[in-house]
Amino acid sequence: MTYCVGMNLDAGLVFLSDSRTNAGVDNINTFRKMNVFERPGERVMLLMTSGNLAITQTVVSLLKEQMASHDANLSLWNVPNMFEAARVVGDAMREVYRRDAEALQHFGVDFSANVVLGGQIFGEPPRLFQVYSAGNFIESTEETPYFQIGETKYGKPIIDRVLRRETPLPVAAKCALISMDSTIRSNLSVGLPLDLVVVRTNECKVSIHQKIVAEDPYFRMIRNHWGEALREAFVHLPEPDWQ
């Protein structure tokens, strides 16, 4: 299991991912789910993955092979816009499905993979997509400016209450970290270290890439103060009047 969230705001993009994978309580490992591709000033793309680790790693490797090849018709380096970038990722997902799905099914393993892709190519605004196992995808909207993949339910309430398109990037990053903390507290299969990436609109490059470990002072403050604030708010709420 994993948890990743990507936010598309007027001021830019915020991406946050954990790095824990598990195949049972006695087989827990750390693998990064965040992939960054950038040519500063021209294009920057962020790709986060969840699902079967072998599938998602193969998809990312296939994308990197295309980017390194001079013979590839389309790759993330030469697509004209982010919509075409989402199509390239979807095609890579379908290619891995064609190669591996039947063998996985033979062993009782579902073909499960999800990708959040976001970024900006010079000449268009930042855009955010979610790509599904079938290779199809959807794009974020004004009303829904974020996508989550993995263990989504615990971190969703705070985002729904706080996040708007006009939310400043520091506030959005704080919201993402609280969302992650809520998920970590409720699901042992999500854990540190975390990758936090911020891209400011029209810079076409990574503005902040922070690896967050358990000793990170800001994340520790978030964890402590948020829990205290929730408990205090709960205490001050009146009891039901039907008692």
Side-chain angles (χ1 to χ4, degrees), residues 14-158:
V14 174
F15 272 44
L16 180 66
S17 65
D18 83 319
S19 59
R20 182 168 292 181
T21 63
N22 77 91
V25 295
D26 58 347
N27 187 14
I28 296 175
N29 294 292
T30 297
F31 289 93
R32 293 182 67 182
K33 301 9 173 343
M34 181 82 71
N35 298 272
V36 180
F37 309 107
E38 66 174 333
R39 285 178 174 164
E42 179 201 333
R43 66 185 60 206
V44 57
M45 299 182 194
L46 313 169
L47 189 150
M48 299 184 299
T49 60
S50 72
N52 185 296
L53 184 62
I55 295 171
T56 57
Q57 283 191 343
T58 303
V59 169
V60 173
S61 295
L62 182 57
L63 292 170
K64 290 179 177 178
E65 285 182 2
Q66 293 171 353
M67 296 165 75
S69 172
H70 298 293
D71 300 325
N73 292 326
L74 276 181
S75 77
L76 296 183
W77 282 152
N78 61 25
V79 290
N81 53 61
M82 286 300 301
F83 180 83
E84 292 296 332
R87 289 184 61 184
V88 167
V89 175
D91 289 345
M93 191 82 78
R94 292 189 181 105
E95 176 62 29
V96 176
Y97 181 88
R98 283 191 291 268
R99 194 191 72 176
D100 294 344
E102 186 176 349
L104 290 172
Q105 186 178 20
H106 179 74
F107 287 95
V109 178
D110 292 332
F111 189 93
S112 172
N114 282 280
V115 171
V116 170
L117 170 72
Q120 184 175 18
I121 296 175
F122 183 78
E124 69 169 0
R127 299 173 74 175
L128 181 69
F129 299 86
Q130 182 170 349
V131 185
Y132 299 101
S133 298
N136 57 326
F137 55 86
I138 58 174
E139 184 172 5
S140 67
T141 65
E142 292 281 341
E143 295 76 20
T144 307
Y146 73 93
F147 288 130
Q148 301 168 288
I149 53 175
E151 180 56 275
T152 61
K153 57 183 176 289
Y154 302 110
K156 183 174 172 60
I158 180 63

Side-chain angles (χ1 to χ4, degrees), residues 174-189:
K174 177 172 65 175
C175 177
L177 288 169
I178 293 172
S179 174
M180 180 66 74
D181 174 58
S182 300
T183 306
I184 291 174
R185 287 180 180 272
S186 298
N187 192 322
L188 293 176
S189 68

Side-chain angles (χ1 to χ4, degrees), residues 230-243:
L230 284 177
R231 286 189 291 272
E232 184 174 349
F234 177 82
V235 168
H236 285 87
L237 286 173
E239 279 70 35
D241 58 8
W242 61 77
Q243 294 292 337

